[in-house]
Amino acid sequence: MSAHSHEIEEGLSFLPKFDASGLVTCVATDVASGDVLMVAHMNEEALRKTIATGEAWYFSRSRNALWRKGETSGQTQRVIEMRTDCDQDAVWIRVEQIGAACHTGRRSCFYRKVEGESGGARLVFADAERLFDPDAVYKK
C-alpha cells in the first residue's frame, strides 16, 4: 500500500476522489429508519455546500447544474451525518427527510422491487404511495 493510499484509507484527512466527470456518488438514507432514500451525485461545490450548510446539495448530470434538495419541491434533507467509504470515492449522508425524497412524489426513489420471472425479471411496486403530485409541484 502506497503512502497516499494509506492516508486515504486510514488517515483523518477528507480527500474525496472525484471521477472523470468531477463527481462522487452520494447515498442518502433516512436517519431514523435507515431506509435508502436516493442515490445522486455531488461535485466539489455541492459537497462543500452540503458540509457548510448542513443541507443536501447535489449536481444534476441531466441538467448540468448544482441544486439544493427541496429548492423547488420543499422536500428538504437536513444532513445529520456524512461518511465516506474506504477509498473516498463515495459519500453516505444520513438525513432528516422532510416529505418525499423522490421527484416522483414518493418517500424513496427505491419504490419498485425486482423479481425474477421465467428466466428474466420484472418490477413490482413496493412502498409506492405518492406524498405529493409531481405535476403540481414541478409544473411540467
Side-chain angles (χ1 to χ4, degrees):
M1 180 183 305
S2 72
H4 183 67
S5 62
H6 184 270
E7 175 61 22
I8 289 171
E9 293 174 3
E10 302 295 334
L12 297 179
S13 296
F14 186 40
L15 305 167
K17 188 165 110 187
F18 297 96
D19 68 13
S21 300
L23 303 173
V24 293
T25 301
C26 177
V27 178
T29 63
D30 185 281
V31 70
S33 68
D35 292 345
V36 177
L37 299 174
M38 57 185 280
V39 175
H41 296 89
M42 293 180 170
N43 63 2
E44 187 175 0
E45 185 179 5
L47 191 56
R48 190 172 61 255
K49 284 182 176 256
T50 298
I51 293 166
T53 67
E55 295 181 312
W57 286 78
Y58 298 104
F59 185 83
S60 169
R61 296 179 299 177
S62 61
R63 294 187 318 253
N64 195 33
L66 185 72
W67 59 283
R68 181 179 55 82
K69 180 68 176 157
E71 67 188 345
T72 302
S73 68
Q75 316 292 304
T76 61
Q77 292 177 341
R78 186 167 76 89
V79 179
I80 305 304
E81 180 180 57
M82 178 185 283
R83 295 187 186 193
T84 190
D85 70 336
C86 55
D87 57 1
Q88 298 197 40
D89 66 355
V91 294
W92 167 29
I93 57 175
R94 298 175 68 219
V95 302
E96 280 182 354
Q97 176 68 52
I98 305 303
C102 187
H103 74 281
T104 66
R106 295 176 173 95
R107 174 99 177 119
S108 169
C109 294
F110 294 88
Y111 55 87
R112 294 173 292 181
K113 293 189 292 187
V114 178
E115 294 186 348
E117 180 182 77
S118 304
R122 69 184 181 111
L123 298 178
V124 177
F125 284 99
D127 304 317
E129 177 187 352
R130 287 188 203 272
L131 301 181
F132 70 86
D133 176 0
D135 290 334
V137 170
Y138 298 114
K139 311 274 192 264
K140 292 181 181 178

